[in-house]
Amino acid sequence: MAKIKKKGTSGQAKNYITRTQAVRKLQISLPDFRRLCIFKGIYPREPRNKKKASKTSTPNTTFYYTKDIQYLLHEPLLNKFRDQKALAKKIARSLGRGEVSDASRLEKNHAPKLTLDHVIKERYPTFVDALRDLDDALSLLFLFATLPSTNHVPPKTIALCQRLCHEFQHYLIVTNSLRKSFLSIKGIYYQATIQGQDIMWLVPYRFVQRVNGDVDYRIMATFVDFYTTLLGFVNFRLYSTIGLRYPPKFDTRSDENGAELAAFTLEGRAVGETPKALEASKLQTNGSSKEISREVQDKVDKVIKTAGLNQTKDEQTAETTEESTDAIDRFEPAAPEADTLPQPDMSGNEAGSLFAPFTFYVSREAPKAPLEFILRSFGCKRIGWDAVLGDGAFTHDETDSRITHQIVDRPQLPESSLPAIPAAKDDGAAPKVKPGTRIPGRTYVQPQWIWDCVNEGKLLRADLYAPGATLPPHLSPWVKPTRGGYDPRATLAEQEEEGEAEEAAEGGDSDEEMEDEAPEAQKAVDASDKSEDESVDGGMDVAGTDDDESDSEDEDEDEEKDFNGLEENEATSESEDEDEAARTQHQKELEAEAAGLPFSSSGATDEASKKKSSQSKKLAAKKRKEDEELERQKMMMSRKKRKLLEKMMYSNKKQSDEAAKLRSKRRKLEKGAQE
């Protein structure tokens, strides 16, 4: 007889363990268990069958993999947590005895320090793995860098987050790794490309933050501890790859004066030669192969010349290929109706030369921190701002003749409403300029011009972004227009379907008429429904009666007549419509004659209405034929393919309906602007 297998010793009951059992097995508190799981990257799991996985009948149970908990048993951090617990007992005992000095001494000298270096090495065996997991880290650290200091968020944590974020920004500035940015409601999105990995993070706007008690800052502080260690490792590796010393020099006094990025001083190689240092490794690997290929090419050329062959065409093609390899390849579709292939981003050299020849001045109302970061990332070396915004500017003088572009974010105001110019002081400060004045020879733009130029990879027209002008739509650079979707950059004529504009015009003219006719039509429908209900005995249909059979036969005959004589019915309907149009025209002429008004535009309006009606009928007939053809094709399909086709048609129709709604809104806006 086989051995009886006990319940809960195999299968899902063995593979999963509850949180309570895990805490008991590790012999730590629940907050320490949460911290340990966050550090090690262990998360709850959902079993397929909770009844089989749990030995109890509690429905709301959190499960973990048993192997993950077994892995935590050998974690060195467990000893640190137990030491902290023992120290907390000693401090509580000292405070209970009234020995405050002993308690402070224990907390200061004997507190165990947690180091997460080994955790980072375990979770990220390669540097590329760390770069791939950097999105959430940067978003959370930039968030904590803008929070005010409270009991939950100490100032040391905020200062550490700010320093690490500024160090990461300096690497992006030196290497020109920033590629795209987008202004959204949540904040500013940035995307950088580092060693072939696209990293995207979110930076909140610098508004006054109100820290609420709804957020559990203990869990967020645990993530901050882990992410600060991770970003410190990443910054060290990034700086060492380009030959810069880490950490960079940090001037505390200039940082207190609002210098931010300018408070750091990079040391190592010449900072201007850093992009060349990045290309040095590529040149070293490719240099030997190029020299060998040149020697081989020279030998081949000698052989060809001795043979009397012409090599001019081959030399031209070789030169063109060598020249073309310097630029980034562009992928063109093979056919005009094919899908658009994703194009590669700009290179570091192109990004570093976008704003290089310009000198910018940031006005007081514009956001200085994001503008400085983006401008420096794309090659601008000289940026000035008012002294109120902090230190580190190229110039505080707004009247400096070297300034080529000024970023303004205030509307145009009349001169009478502008305040007076403050009196100049003799302390050597920069002279004040009256707000709203324009210095000749300088281009004034709104901040959106910077972001749109960065996303497009080229300089756009500055007059479209002049102060007080209606700005073009700021679109996300990561959302590409799809076929059949709405594209706000294209005109309505390019996106509208066949006959959509005519239908919209007819619908706009007949909206008021439809609103007037709607109540009367509803009354007629209600009356007809009541009469039909009263005509049937008891309001129910009896199956199998002679009347039903005769009705069905009549309906079949009518359908056959309609199918056979479709063209005749269309011809008769067209003639009836023409007669009705003639009657309405005659009625309008009589009303105009009775009122003593001329009726001269009747012919033109009638012709236009006839053209619109004929076009709408043609479109309706074409659509009807397409629907009939589609139904015939669906009848020849299998059930599985038919269901798949219906799902595709549903999703396409939903997308087209949304695009049509957006086009109608745009059509109304343009019509209102013209009026």
Side-chain angles (χ1 to χ4, degrees):
M1 182 176 177
K3 187 178 180 180
I4 298 175
K5 186 168 61 175
K6 292 183 180 180
K7 183 180 180 181
T9 57
S10 63
Q12 295 190 23
K14 185 180 180 182
N15 295 334
Y16 293 94
I17 186 174
T18 61
R19 188 180 65 181
T20 305
Q21 294 172 352
V23 171
R24 288 177 182 173
K25 194 169 186 177
L26 296 174
Q27 297 181 2
I28 56 176
S29 61
L30 184 59
D32 290 340
F33 176 73
R34 288 199 185 104
R35 293 178 65 192
L36 186 61
C37 289
I38 291 172
F39 290 152
K40 300 293 289 184
I42 295 174
Y43 301 97
R45 307 293 179 175
E46 185 72 17
R48 294 181 179 178
N49 193 342
K50 283 190 175 183
K51 292 183 179 179
K52 293 182 180 180
S54 63
K55 300 177 183 179
T56 59
S57 60
T58 54
N60 297 326
T61 306
T62 305
F63 293 93
Y64 291 86
Y65 280 143
T66 307
K67 290 185 178 181
D68 291 342
I69 305 303
Q70 289 289 127
Y71 175 65
L72 291 179
L73 286 172
H74 309 285
E75 176 57 40
L77 291 176
L78 284 176
N79 297 328
K80 296 290 184 180
F81 292 156
R82 289 163 185 160
D83 294 343
Q84 287 179 350
K85 189 176 181 180
L87 180 65
K89 288 182 180 180
K90 292 179 182 180
I91 293 173
R93 189 183 301 115
S94 299
L95 291 175
R97 294 174 181 174
E99 300 173 352
V100 180
S101 59
D102 291 345
S104 61
R105 178 180 56 81
L106 289 172
E107 186 178 4
K108 183 178 181 180
N109 299 330
H110 298 278
K113 296 181 180 180
L114 298 178
T115 56
L116 304 177
D117 300 347
H118 66 284
V119 179
I120 300 296
K121 294 177 182 178
E122 289 175 4
R123 291 188 61 177
Y124 307 107
T126 62
F127 186 62
V128 176
D129 296 332
L131 291 177
R132 290 173 180 170
D133 201 22
L134 208 59
D135 300 349
D136 296 335
L138 290 174
S139 299
L140 186 62
L141 294 182
F142 273 97
L143 171 64
F144 267 73
T146 58
L147 290 179
S149 61
T150 59
N151 296 329
H152 302 289
V153 186
K156 290 184 179 179
T157 303
I158 297 174
L160 178 60
C161 294
Q162 290 177 352
R163 184 176 62 82
L164 291 173
C165 292
H166 288 154
E167 289 172 358
F168 182 74
Q169 287 180 337
H170 268 293
Y171 172 80
L172 299 179
I173 291 171
V174 170
T175 58
N176 302 118
S177 300
L178 191 65
R179 290 293 174 265
K180 297 176 183 178
S181 181
F182 176 63
L183 300 169
S184 69
I185 298 175
K186 298 179 181 179
I188 305 175
Y189 285 92
Y190 295 98
Q191 182 183 0
T193 303
I194 301 175
Q195 296 186 7
Q197 301 297 324
D198 292 334
I199 303 171
M200 184 187 299
W201 69 97
L202 176 65
V203 179
Y205 295 113
R206 295 194 176 184
F207 298 136
V208 178
Q209 301 285 347
R210 292 184 179 180
V211 181
N212 298 326
D214 301 337
V215 182
D216 192 353
Y217 285 94
R218 293 180 300 174
I219 296 178
M220 296 183 68
T222 306
F223 277 103
V224 168
D225 293 339
F226 176 74
Y227 286 147
T228 50
T229 309
L230 172 62
L231 189 57
F233 271 90
V234 171
N235 287 345
F236 171 75
R237 180 66 178 272
L238 293 177
Y239 273 63
S240 60
T241 52
I242 60 176
L244 295 179
R245 185 178 299 171
Y246 185 84
K249 281 188 177 180
F250 178 66
D251 190 355
T252 308
R253 182 175 296 178
S254 61
D255 183 68
E256 291 175 355
N257 295 331
E260 295 185 354
L261 289 175
F264 293 84
T265 304
L266 303 182
E267 294 180 347
R269 284 199 191 100
V271 179
E273 298 178 357
T274 304
K276 298 179 181 179
L278 292 175
E279 297 177 358
S281 59
K282 300 179 181 178
L283 294 175
Q284 288 175 2
T285 55
N286 297 331
S288 58
S289 60
K290 286 184 178 179
E291 291 176 0
I292 295 172
S293 62
R294 286 176 182 175
E295 293 177 359
V296 174
Q297 186 65 35
D298 293 337
K299 294 179 181 179
V300 172
D301 292 340
K302 290 180 181 179
V303 174
I304 291 174
K305 287 180 181 179
T306 55
L309 300 176
N310 190 7
Q311 183 63 17
T312 54
K313 295 182 179 180
D314 295 337
E315 290 177 356
Q316 292 176 359
T317 54
E319 291 176 359
T320 54
T321 52
E322 290 180 359
E323 293 176 358
S324 62
T325 53
D326 296 338
I328 294 179
D329 295 333
R330 297 291 175 179
F331 304 108
E332 301 295 338
E337 66 274 2
D339 296 334
T340 303
L341 299 173
Q343 301 295 333
D345 297 329
M346 66 177 74
S347 62
N349 295 331
E350 294 176 357
S353 61
L354 186 61
F355 298 127
F358 305 130
T359 302
F360 285 86
Y361 187 86
V362 182
S363 299
R364 289 181 296 174
E365 69 278 359
K368 187 216 39 163
L371 285 171
E372 181 188 4
F373 171 54
I374 289 182
L375 290 174
R376 293 193 186 280
S377 299
F378 284 84
C380 184
K381 304 297 182 183
R382 300 178 296 181
I383 306 172
W385 54 76
D386 195 273
V388 180
L389 299 178
D391 295 341
F394 169 70
T395 178
H396 296 298
D397 184 9
E398 189 177 352
T399 61
D400 195 337
S401 60
R402 293 171 293 181
I403 299 173
T404 59
H405 292 72
Q406 184 168 348
I407 302 173
V408 182
D409 199 13
R410 61 167 69 98
Q412 293 279 8
L413 297 175
E415 294 185 0
S416 59
S417 62
L418 296 177
I421 303 175
K425 298 180 181 180
D426 298 334
D427 54 357
K432 299 294 183 181
V433 179
K434 187 176 182 180
T437 58
R438 297 289 179 263
I439 299 175
R442 186 179 300 181
T443 304
Y444 289 84
V445 292
Q446 298 188 41
Q448 185 181 332
W449 182 75
I450 304 296
W451 272 270
D452 288 350
C453 290
V454 166
N455 295 333
E456 292 292 334
K458 60 182 179 180
L459 297 176
L460 302 177
R461 290 175 51 186
D463 57 340
L464 300 177
Y465 300 85
T470 302
L471 296 173
H474 181 59
L475 306 177
S476 173
W478 299 286
V479 178
K480 302 299 180 182
T482 57
R483 184 178 299 175
Y486 175 72
D487 186 8
R489 299 182 180 180
T491 60
L492 282 175
E494 296 176 357
Q495 303 180 68
E496 287 177 343
E497 298 178 357
E498 186 178 0
E500 183 179 355
E502 289 79 3
E503 292 179 1
E506 292 179 1
D509 296 338
S510 60
D511 282 342
E512 298 178 356
E513 298 178 0
M514 292 294 292
E515 291 177 359
D516 297 337
E517 294 176 358
E520 298 179 358
Q522 186 65 29
K523 291 180 182 178
V525 170
D526 296 338
S528 62
D529 292 340
K530 290 181 181 179
S531 62
E532 289 178 0
D533 293 340
E534 293 175 356
S535 62
V536 181
D537 297 336
M540 296 176 65
D541 295 334
V542 181
T545 56
D546 297 336
D547 296 336
D548 294 336
E549 294 176 357
S550 61
D551 292 340
S552 62
E553 292 175 359
D554 295 338
E555 289 176 358
D556 294 339
E557 292 177 359
D558 294 338
E559 289 178 357
E560 291 178 359
K561 290 179 181 179
D562 294 339
F563 184 77
N564 296 330
L566 185 61
E567 297 178 355
E568 296 177 1
N569 293 333
E570 291 180 355
T572 54
S573 62
E574 290 178 359
S575 61
E576 290 176 358
D577 293 338
E578 291 176 359
D579 295 340
E580 186 67 24
R583 293 196 201 96
T584 54
Q585 180 184 357
H586 182 63
Q587 182 67 24
K588 290 179 181 178
E589 290 177 356
L590 293 176
E591 292 176 357
E593 185 178 356
L597 298 174
F599 192 75
S600 60
S601 62
S602 61
T605 55
D606 291 340
E607 291 178 0
S609 61
K610 287 180 181 179
K611 288 182 179 179
K612 288 182 179 179
S613 61
S614 62
Q615 289 178 359
S616 61
K617 288 175 184 177
K618 289 180 181 178
L619 292 174
K622 184 179 179 181
K623 187 176 181 181
R624 196 185 309 116
K625 290 180 181 179
E626 291 177 356
D627 293 340
E628 290 175 357
E629 183 65 24
L630 182 60
E631 290 296 330
R632 293 193 195 97
Q633 293 177 358
K634 287 170 65 176
M635 290 171 62
M636 303 298 293
M637 294 181 180
S638 62
R639 184 177 180 181
K640 185 177 181 180
K641 292 183 179 180
R642 194 186 312 118
K643 293 291 184 182
L644 181 61
L645 178 62
E646 289 175 356
K647 289 181 181 179
M648 293 170 59
M649 291 174 61
Y650 174 77
S651 61
N652 292 338
K653 186 177 183 301
K654 188 176 180 181
Q655 183 182 6
S656 61
D657 291 343
E658 292 177 357
K661 286 182 181 179
L662 294 174
R663 286 196 296 269
S664 64
K665 288 182 181 180
R666 181 175 176 180
R667 195 179 294 108
K668 290 179 182 178
L669 290 174
E670 291 181 356
K671 186 177 180 181
Q674 291 177 358
E675 292 176 356

